[in-house]
Amino acid sequence: MPEDATTGGQAPAPADARALWSGAVAQPPSVVAPAPARASVVLFTPSDPSDPSDPSDPSSRSADGPCGSYRPPRGRPASLLDPGTERDPHPLYRTLRGNFPLVHDEPFGAWLISRYADVRAALADPRLVAPSPGPVPVHAERSTHDAYRALASAALRNQVTDALRAGVERTAHVLASRLASRQEADLVAEFCRWLPAAAAVTALGLPYEDTVRVHAWCRTGLDHLGGHRAALDAYLRPHLVRRRAHPGDDLLSALCTAGPDGRPLPDGTVTELAGTVLGAAGETTARALASFLANLLDHPGQLDLIRARPGLAGAAWDESLRRDPPIQIVPRRAREAIGPIPEGATVACLLGAAGRDPARFADPDRYDIFRADPGDLAYGSGARHCLGAPLARLTAEAGLRALLTVLPGLRRASGPRPRPEGLVSRSPRTLPVCPR
């Protein structure tokens, strides 16, 4: 990328934000583009007109200037790759939200978006597509694939049945019971890393004895984008044959027997979608579950409320996803120029920054299970909603119920509390507890 070429006076603000959407404001790719104090950078198609922070809503705009106004850079923020950022990214997130809501991070190789309204809009903008995780077709974000994802999402919602719920709860109770006689245990290694993989196996109707194999794939190969994996193809092939001939009431059967045009989905598409569920309900949900349990153990008063009112578990899960999303950075590729963002550039949507945007959330660093509207960015929204989100929620709620039932005295172990780790994916690496 060329060095920053803009150092002079303020650029005139366009009268219409659509001028920015069309790329009419020409600036070098490395230009830092901070907006006025709390005006959103309206470069992206609004995602939800009803959202209270949606930049298309005039009531959400700052009186300091028109949305999408640009000012020349005054200095440059630290990079995501600078020392110390991974240990605690929130000071940098605050700087980005306050002064650099759209900026090119040259060492990281991406344009950074940090405010809630902008991140939400960018994630829904059709001009920003997910980078391919492997040999996935180029059209993966277009109409045919979107139809496949919608079908799989509906199938997964329909398959969250009493039988699936019972299977996940049974697995959670088995894992919790193994800790009951221990003086100390690590919830991450002995609970969080195993329960999501077992839940995905149950949802797909795969043999329970294959949980160890699936767990290994989730840990080392699959990702939340559901990329192609040869080993997964080979493993699923005989199961697909059996499901097409004799479908059951599991998610894999639903994927094998339905299609958006009335014809069954191809084997490759079923495998890809199953990989998405396994990836999201594996490593991503394991991290989310670790942060969820850490937040509750760090707030014993709120945990006691859930003991008394189990129905609060869902709200506690949503609040944890807002405050500490398992995926902190979601990459997108620009299919065309968008304002100062050139075609083909990488855009990094900073979910970790957006979830703590004070313009959207009161006292955003506080964990509060009674927060009225914690947002829904962690697992995506709308057409980009992650396929594994319903299963992740079921897994978290079942896991918490099992722990509180089997280990009523569960609490943090004494000693230093491990900090969350990771830049792109972030969660506690360990969670030492006293089970009794």
Side-chain angles (χ1 to χ4, degrees), residues 130-136 149 214-229 232 271-285 327 331 386-388 424-425:
S132 172
V136 178
R149 287 181 58 86
V214 172
H215 173 264
W217 285 337
C218 291
R219 294 283 300 160
T220 61
L222 295 170
D223 59 17
H224 75 290
L225 296 175
H228 173 90
R229 297 292 181 267
L232 183 62
T271 299
E272 179 192 335
L273 294 172
T276 299
V277 173
L278 290 171
E283 180 67 6
T284 303
T285 299
I327 303 298
C386 175
L387 295 181
V424 177
S425 300

Side-chain angles (χ1 to χ4, degrees), residues 38-40 49-63 67 359:
R38 285 310 299 164
S40 296
S50 65
D51 188 277
S53 64
D54 195 302
S56 67
D57 178 3
S59 66
S60 70
R61 302 181 184 181
S62 168
C67 292

Side-chain angles (χ1 to χ4, degrees), residues 236-245 252 256 266-268 270-271:
L236 287 179
R237 194 172 299 119
H239 293 286
L240 299 186
V241 172
R242 285 195 290 270
R243 292 307 196 285
R244 293 194 191 280
L252 195 59
C256 286
D267 284 359
V270 173
T271 299

Side-chain angles (χ1 to χ4, degrees), residues 249-266:
D249 60 358
D250 54 79
L251 176 59
L252 195 59
S253 294
L255 294 177
C256 286
T257 56
D261 55 0
R263 293 179 297 177
L265 297 176

